[in-house]
PDB file of all heavy atoms in Angstrom:
ATOM      1  N   LEU A 232     -34.488   8.354  87.825  1.00  0.00           N
ATOM      2  CA  LEU A 232     -33.580   7.921  88.894  1.00  0.00           C
ATOM      3  C   LEU A 232     -32.988   6.545  88.587  1.00  0.00           C
ATOM      4  O   LEU A 232     -31.765   6.338  88.693  1.00  0.00           O
ATOM      5  CB  LEU A 232     -34.331   7.890  90.226  1.00  0.00           C
ATOM      6  CG  LEU A 232     -33.541   7.387  91.440  1.00  0.00           C
ATOM      7  CD1 LEU A 232     -32.380   8.315  91.746  1.00  0.00           C
ATOM      8  CD2 LEU A 232     -34.462   7.263  92.655  1.00  0.00           C
ATOM      9  N   LEU A 241     -29.269  -2.449  91.038  1.00  0.00           N
ATOM     10  CA  LEU A 241     -29.031  -3.877  90.852  1.00  0.00           C
ATOM     11  C   LEU A 241     -28.218  -4.448  92.009  1.00  0.00           C
ATOM     12  O   LEU A 241     -28.517  -5.542  92.511  1.00  0.00           O
ATOM     13  CB  LEU A 241     -28.296  -4.129  89.523  1.00  0.00           C
ATOM     14  CG  LEU A 241     -29.071  -3.858  88.240  1.00  0.00           C
ATOM     15  CD1 LEU A 241     -28.247  -4.276  87.028  1.00  0.00           C
ATOM     16  CD2 LEU A 241     -30.414  -4.571  88.225  1.00  0.00           C
ATOM     17  N   ILE A 268     -37.719  -1.094  84.467  1.00  0.00           N
ATOM     18  CA  ILE A 268     -36.574  -1.602  83.690  1.00  0.00           C
ATOM     19  C   ILE A 268     -36.972  -2.565  82.570  1.00  0.00           C
ATOM     20  O   ILE A 268     -36.129  -2.939  81.765  1.00  0.00           O
ATOM     21  CB  ILE A 268     -35.547  -2.300  84.615  1.00  0.00           C
ATOM     22  CG1 ILE A 268     -36.167  -3.506  85.348  1.00  0.00           C
ATOM     23  CG2 ILE A 268     -34.968  -1.314  85.598  1.00  0.00           C
ATOM     24  CD1 ILE A 268     -36.226  -4.789  84.605  1.00  0.00           C
ATOM     25  N   ALA A 272     -34.866  -4.333  78.432  1.00  0.00           N
ATOM     26  CA  ALA A 272     -34.689  -5.663  77.843  1.00  0.00           C
ATOM     27  C   ALA A 272     -33.485  -6.389  78.423  1.00  0.00           C
ATOM     28  O   ALA A 272     -32.845  -7.190  77.743  1.00  0.00           O
ATOM     29  CB  ALA A 272     -34.584  -5.574  76.328  1.00  0.00           C
ATOM     30  N   SER A 288     -40.073 -17.376  97.730  1.00  0.00           N
ATOM     31  CA  SER A 288     -41.507 -17.230  98.014  1.00  0.00           C
ATOM     32  C   SER A 288     -42.167 -18.590  98.239  1.00  0.00           C
ATOM     33  O   SER A 288     -43.065 -18.719  99.076  1.00  0.00           O
ATOM     34  CB  SER A 288     -42.206 -16.484  96.866  1.00  0.00           C
ATOM     35  OG  SER A 288     -42.320 -17.300  95.712  1.00  0.00           O
ATOM     36  N   LEU A 291     -41.230 -19.897 101.693  1.00  0.00           N
ATOM     37  CA  LEU A 291     -41.940 -19.178 102.754  1.00  0.00           C
ATOM     38  C   LEU A 291     -43.459 -19.299 102.637  1.00  0.00           C
ATOM     39  O   LEU A 291     -44.187 -18.701 103.441  1.00  0.00           O
ATOM     40  CB  LEU A 291     -41.541 -17.696 102.719  1.00  0.00           C
ATOM     41  CG  LEU A 291     -40.054 -17.384 102.962  1.00  0.00           C
ATOM     42  CD1 LEU A 291     -39.779 -15.897 102.784  1.00  0.00           C
ATOM     43  CD2 LEU A 291     -39.627 -17.843 104.349  1.00  0.00           C
ATOM     44  N   GLN A 308     -40.428 -14.625  79.510  1.00  0.00           N
ATOM     45  CA  GLN A 308     -40.413 -15.774  78.586  1.00  0.00           C
ATOM     46  C   GLN A 308     -41.210 -15.471  77.327  1.00  0.00           C
ATOM     47  O   GLN A 308     -40.803 -15.843  76.214  1.00  0.00           O
ATOM     48  CB  GLN A 308     -40.998 -17.019  79.284  1.00  0.00           C
ATOM     49  CG  GLN A 308     -40.204 -17.509  80.490  1.00  0.00           C
ATOM     50  CD  GLN A 308     -38.917 -18.216  80.102  1.00  0.00           C
ATOM     51  OE1 GLN A 308     -38.395 -18.044  79.008  1.00  0.00           O
ATOM     52  NE2 GLN A 308     -38.388 -19.018  81.017  1.00  0.00           N
ATOM     53  N   ASN A 320     -46.202 -20.654  83.036  1.00  0.00           N
ATOM     54  CA  ASN A 320     -46.095 -19.714  84.157  1.00  0.00           C
ATOM     55  C   ASN A 320     -47.364 -18.892  84.334  1.00  0.00           C
ATOM     56  O   ASN A 320     -47.840 -18.694  85.455  1.00  0.00           O
ATOM     57  CB  ASN A 320     -44.881 -18.800  83.959  1.00  0.00           C
ATOM     58  CG  ASN A 320     -43.572 -19.490  84.292  1.00  0.00           C
ATOM     59  OD1 ASN A 320     -43.323 -19.840  85.439  1.00  0.00           O
ATOM     60  ND2 ASN A 320     -42.732 -19.702  83.292  1.00  0.00           N
ATOM     61  N   TYR A 321     -47.923 -18.395  83.237  1.00  0.00           N
ATOM     62  CA  TYR A 321     -49.171 -17.628  83.319  1.00  0.00           C
ATOM     63  C   TYR A 321     -50.307 -18.494  83.871  1.00  0.00           C
ATOM     64  O   TYR A 321     -51.108 -18.031  84.696  1.00  0.00           O
ATOM     65  CB  TYR A 321     -49.571 -17.099  81.939  1.00  0.00           C
ATOM     66  CG  TYR A 321     -48.773 -15.940  81.426  1.00  0.00           C
ATOM     67  CD1 TYR A 321     -48.424 -15.853  80.073  1.00  0.00           C
ATOM     68  CD2 TYR A 321     -48.365 -14.909  82.264  1.00  0.00           C
ATOM     69  CE1 TYR A 321     -47.697 -14.775  79.581  1.00  0.00           C
ATOM     70  CE2 TYR A 321     -47.637 -13.826  81.780  1.00  0.00           C
ATOM     71  CZ  TYR A 321     -47.306 -13.767  80.434  1.00  0.00           C
ATOM     72  OH  TYR A 321     -46.592 -12.705  79.941  1.00  0.00           O
ATOM     73  N   TYR A 337     -56.020 -12.015  88.582  1.00  0.00           N
ATOM     74  CA  TYR A 337     -56.541 -13.117  87.769  1.00  0.00           C
ATOM     75  C   TYR A 337     -56.926 -12.598  86.384  1.00  0.00           C
ATOM     76  O   TYR A 337     -56.618 -13.219  85.359  1.00  0.00           O
ATOM     77  CB  TYR A 337     -57.741 -13.746  88.471  1.00  0.00           C
ATOM     78  CG  TYR A 337     -58.392 -14.890  87.728  1.00  0.00           C
ATOM     79  CD1 TYR A 337     -57.641 -15.964  87.241  1.00  0.00           C
ATOM     80  CD2 TYR A 337     -59.774 -14.902  87.517  1.00  0.00           C
ATOM     81  CE1 TYR A 337     -58.247 -17.016  86.573  1.00  0.00           C
ATOM     82  CE2 TYR A 337     -60.385 -15.956  86.848  1.00  0.00           C
ATOM     83  CZ  TYR A 337     -59.611 -17.002  86.378  1.00  0.00           C
ATOM     84  OH  TYR A 337     -60.222 -18.049  85.706  1.00  0.00           O
ATOM     85  N   ARG A 339     -55.639 -10.038  84.848  1.00  0.00           N
ATOM     86  CA  ARG A 339     -54.423  -9.687  84.094  1.00  0.00           C
ATOM     87  C   ARG A 339     -53.788 -10.914  83.452  1.00  0.00           C
ATOM     88  O   ARG A 339     -53.344 -10.873  82.302  1.00  0.00           O
ATOM     89  CB  ARG A 339     -53.437  -8.983  85.023  1.00  0.00           C
ATOM     90  CG  ARG A 339     -52.255  -8.360  84.300  1.00  0.00           C
ATOM     91  CD  ARG A 339     -51.397  -7.535  85.231  1.00  0.00           C
ATOM     92  NE  ARG A 339     -50.868  -8.317  86.333  1.00  0.00           N
ATOM     93  CZ  ARG A 339     -51.069  -8.014  87.619  1.00  0.00           C
ATOM     94  NH1 ARG A 339     -51.762  -6.953  87.944  1.00  0.00           N
ATOM     95  NH2 ARG A 339     -50.554  -8.768  88.580  1.00  0.00           N
ATOM     96  N   ASP A 349     -53.738 -16.223  70.747  1.00  0.00           N
ATOM     97  CA  ASP A 349     -53.806 -15.550  69.449  1.00  0.00           C
ATOM     98  C   ASP A 349     -52.567 -15.864  68.615  1.00  0.00           C
ATOM     99  O   ASP A 349     -52.668 -16.236  67.440  1.00  0.00           O
ATOM    100  CB  ASP A 349     -53.951 -14.048  69.671  1.00  0.00           C
ATOM    101  CG  ASP A 349     -53.855 -13.259  68.381  1.00  0.00           C
ATOM    102  OD1 ASP A 349     -54.463 -13.677  67.382  1.00  0.00           O
ATOM    103  OD2 ASP A 349     -53.174 -12.222  68.371  1.00  0.00           O
ATOM    104  N   ALA A 364     -61.531 -11.847  80.939  1.00  0.00           N
ATOM    105  CA  ALA A 364     -60.681 -10.937  81.710  1.00  0.00           C
ATOM    106  C   ALA A 364     -61.399  -9.611  81.967  1.00  0.00           C
ATOM    107  O   ALA A 364     -61.312  -9.051  83.069  1.00  0.00           O
ATOM    108  CB  ALA A 364     -59.361 -10.699  80.967  1.00  0.00           C
ATOM    109  N   ALA A 378     -58.117  -1.863  81.703  1.00  0.00           N
ATOM    110  CA  ALA A 378     -57.307  -1.287  80.626  1.00  0.00           C
ATOM    111  C   ALA A 378     -56.379  -2.327  80.011  1.00  0.00           C
ATOM    112  O   ALA A 378     -56.234  -2.397  78.782  1.00  0.00           O
ATOM    113  CB  ALA A 378     -56.494  -0.115  81.169  1.00  0.00           C
ATOM    114  N   ILE A 387     -55.221  -8.271  69.598  1.00  0.00           N
ATOM    115  CA  ILE A 387     -55.767  -9.460  68.910  1.00  0.00           C
ATOM    116  C   ILE A 387     -56.601  -9.015  67.711  1.00  0.00           C
ATOM    117  O   ILE A 387     -56.445  -9.545  66.602  1.00  0.00           O
ATOM    118  CB  ILE A 387     -56.608 -10.321  69.877  1.00  0.00           C
ATOM    119  CG1 ILE A 387     -55.729 -10.905  70.981  1.00  0.00           C
ATOM    120  CG2 ILE A 387     -57.302 -11.455  69.105  1.00  0.00           C
ATOM    121  CD1 ILE A 387     -56.489 -11.666  72.051  1.00  0.00           C
ATOM    122  N   GLY A 412     -53.036   7.650  85.179  1.00  0.00           N
ATOM    123  CA  GLY A 412     -51.699   8.231  85.301  1.00  0.00           C
ATOM    124  C   GLY A 412     -50.563   7.250  85.111  1.00  0.00           C
ATOM    125  O   GLY A 412     -49.453   7.480  85.605  1.00  0.00           O
ATOM    126  N   GLU A 436     -52.267  12.202  62.894  1.00  0.00           N
ATOM    127  CA  GLU A 436     -52.262  11.704  64.274  1.00  0.00           C
ATOM    128  C   GLU A 436     -50.995  10.909  64.556  1.00  0.00           C
ATOM    129  O   GLU A 436     -50.389  11.026  65.629  1.00  0.00           O
ATOM    130  CB  GLU A 436     -53.487  10.817  64.533  1.00  0.00           C
ATOM    131  CG  GLU A 436     -54.796  11.562  64.577  1.00  0.00           C
ATOM    132  CD  GLU A 436     -55.493  11.597  63.218  1.00  0.00           C
ATOM    133  OE1 GLU A 436     -54.777  11.497  62.188  1.00  0.00           O
ATOM    134  OE2 GLU A 436     -56.717  11.737  63.184  1.00  0.00           O
ATOM    135  N   GLN A 439     -47.882  13.299  64.930  1.00  0.00           N
ATOM    136  CA  GLN A 439     -47.905  14.057  66.192  1.00  0.00           C
ATOM    137  C   GLN A 439     -47.558  13.168  67.377  1.00  0.00           C
ATOM    138  O   GLN A 439     -46.710  13.519  68.206  1.00  0.00           O
ATOM    139  CB  GLN A 439     -49.283  14.694  66.396  1.00  0.00           C
ATOM    140  CG  GLN A 439     -49.376  15.530  67.681  1.00  0.00           C
ATOM    141  CD  GLN A 439     -50.755  16.153  67.865  1.00  0.00           C
ATOM    142  OE1 GLN A 439     -51.534  16.254  66.924  1.00  0.00           O
ATOM    143  NE2 GLN A 439     -51.065  16.573  69.078  1.00  0.00           N
ATOM    144  N   VAL A 442     -43.764  11.836  67.454  1.00  0.00           N
ATOM    145  CA  VAL A 442     -42.777  12.815  67.934  1.00  0.00           C
ATOM    146  C   VAL A 442     -42.778  12.867  69.463  1.00  0.00           C
ATOM    147  O   VAL A 442     -41.720  12.873  70.106  1.00  0.00           O
ATOM    148  CB  VAL A 442     -43.074  14.212  67.335  1.00  0.00           C
ATOM    149  CG1 VAL A 442     -42.214  15.280  68.018  1.00  0.00           C
ATOM    150  CG2 VAL A 442     -42.816  14.216  65.837  1.00  0.00           C
ATOM    151  N   GLN A 446     -39.531  11.438  72.132  1.00  0.00           N
ATOM    152  CA  GLN A 446     -38.882  12.212  73.192  1.00  0.00           C
ATOM    153  C   GLN A 446     -38.932  11.473  74.525  1.00  0.00           C
ATOM    154  O   GLN A 446     -37.929  11.391  75.245  1.00  0.00           O
ATOM    155  CB  GLN A 446     -39.570  13.581  73.315  1.00  0.00           C
ATOM    156  CG  GLN A 446     -39.367  14.483  72.103  1.00  0.00           C
ATOM    157  CD  GLN A 446     -40.184  15.755  72.174  1.00  0.00           C
ATOM    158  OE1 GLN A 446     -41.161  15.836  72.921  1.00  0.00           O
ATOM    159  NE2 GLN A 446     -39.802  16.758  71.392  1.00  0.00           N
ATOM    160  N   GLY A 452     -34.758   5.657  78.080  1.00  0.00           N
ATOM    161  CA  GLY A 452     -33.922   4.508  77.711  1.00  0.00           C
ATOM    162  C   GLY A 452     -34.713   3.240  77.468  1.00  0.00           C
ATOM    163  O   GLY A 452     -34.178   2.132  77.567  1.00  0.00           O
ATOM    164  N   VAL A 454     -35.673   0.818  75.345  1.00  0.00           N
ATOM    165  CA  VAL A 454     -35.298   0.286  74.039  1.00  0.00           C
ATOM    166  C   VAL A 454     -36.411  -0.578  73.457  1.00  0.00           C
ATOM    167  O   VAL A 454     -36.674  -0.553  72.246  1.00  0.00           O
ATOM    168  CB  VAL A 454     -33.991  -0.541  74.145  1.00  0.00           C
ATOM    169  CG1 VAL A 454     -33.587  -1.115  72.794  1.00  0.00           C
ATOM    170  CG2 VAL A 454     -32.873   0.318  74.694  1.00  0.00           C
ATOM    171  N   ASN A 456     -39.831  -0.494  73.813  1.00  0.00           N
ATOM    172  CA  ASN A 456     -40.930   0.260  73.205  1.00  0.00           C
ATOM    173  C   ASN A 456     -40.451   1.138  72.050  1.00  0.00           C
ATOM    174  O   ASN A 456     -41.194   1.379  71.095  1.00  0.00           O
ATOM    175  CB  ASN A 456     -41.640   1.114  74.263  1.00  0.00           C
ATOM    176  CG  ASN A 456     -42.638   0.312  75.069  1.00  0.00           C
ATOM    177  OD1 ASN A 456     -43.322  -0.558  74.532  1.00  0.00           O
ATOM    178  ND2 ASN A 456     -42.719   0.578  76.356  1.00  0.00           N
ATOM    179  N   GLY A 472     -46.119   4.813  50.674  1.00  0.00           N
ATOM    180  CA  GLY A 472     -45.258   4.662  49.506  1.00  0.00           C
ATOM    181  C   GLY A 472     -43.892   5.307  49.661  1.00  0.00           C
ATOM    182  O   GLY A 472     -43.142   5.426  48.686  1.00  0.00           O
ATOM    183  N   ALA A 480     -36.494   3.595  58.989  1.00  0.00           N
ATOM    184  CA  ALA A 480     -37.159   3.328  60.272  1.00  0.00           C
ATOM    185  C   ALA A 480     -36.980   1.882  60.691  1.00  0.00           C
ATOM    186  O   ALA A 480     -36.701   1.580  61.866  1.00  0.00           O
ATOM    187  CB  ALA A 480     -38.651   3.665  60.164  1.00  0.00           C
ATOM    188  N   PRO A 494     -37.676 -12.197  69.708  1.00  0.00           N
ATOM    189  CA  PRO A 494     -37.851 -12.886  68.428  1.00  0.00           C
ATOM    190  C   PRO A 494     -39.107 -12.534  67.662  1.00  0.00           C
ATOM    191  O   PRO A 494     -39.093 -12.465  66.433  1.00  0.00           O
ATOM    192  CB  PRO A 494     -37.829 -14.376  68.814  1.00  0.00           C
ATOM    193  CG  PRO A 494     -38.092 -14.405  70.275  1.00  0.00           C
ATOM    194  CD  PRO A 494     -37.570 -13.125  70.832  1.00  0.00           C
ATOM    195  N   LEU A 511     -37.828  -1.913  46.478  1.00  0.00           N
ATOM    196  CA  LEU A 511     -36.621  -1.214  46.024  1.00  0.00           C
ATOM    197  C   LEU A 511     -35.786  -2.063  45.051  1.00  0.00           C
ATOM    198  O   LEU A 511     -34.715  -1.635  44.616  1.00  0.00           O
ATOM    199  CB  LEU A 511     -35.762  -0.828  47.240  1.00  0.00           C
ATOM    200  CG  LEU A 511     -36.389   0.183  48.212  1.00  0.00           C
ATOM    201  CD1 LEU A 511     -35.533   0.337  49.464  1.00  0.00           C
ATOM    202  CD2 LEU A 511     -36.594   1.545  47.538  1.00  0.00           C
ATOM    203  N   ILE A 525     -39.645 -15.946  57.994  1.00  0.00           N
ATOM    204  CA  ILE A 525     -40.367 -17.215  57.851  1.00  0.00           C
ATOM    205  C   ILE A 525     -39.860 -18.236  58.866  1.00  0.00           C
ATOM    206  O   ILE A 525     -40.641 -18.915  59.541  1.00  0.00           O
ATOM    207  CB  ILE A 525     -40.220 -17.743  56.401  1.00  0.00           C
ATOM    208  CG1 ILE A 525     -41.030 -16.860  55.446  1.00  0.00           C
ATOM    209  CG2 ILE A 525     -40.658 -19.198  56.293  1.00  0.00           C
ATOM    210  CD1 ILE A 525     -40.603 -16.972  53.998  1.00  0.00           C
TER     211      ILE A 525
END
Side-chain angles (χ1 to χ4, degrees):
L232 177 64
L241 292 185
I268 61 83
S288 72
L291 298 175
Q308 297 286 21
N320 283 294
Y321 285 141
Y337 179 51
R339 190 173 59 237
D349 173 44
I387 295 175
E436 290 93 334
Q439 181 180 342
V442 170
Q446 293 173 341
V454 180
N456 279 322
L511 295 172
I525 289 160

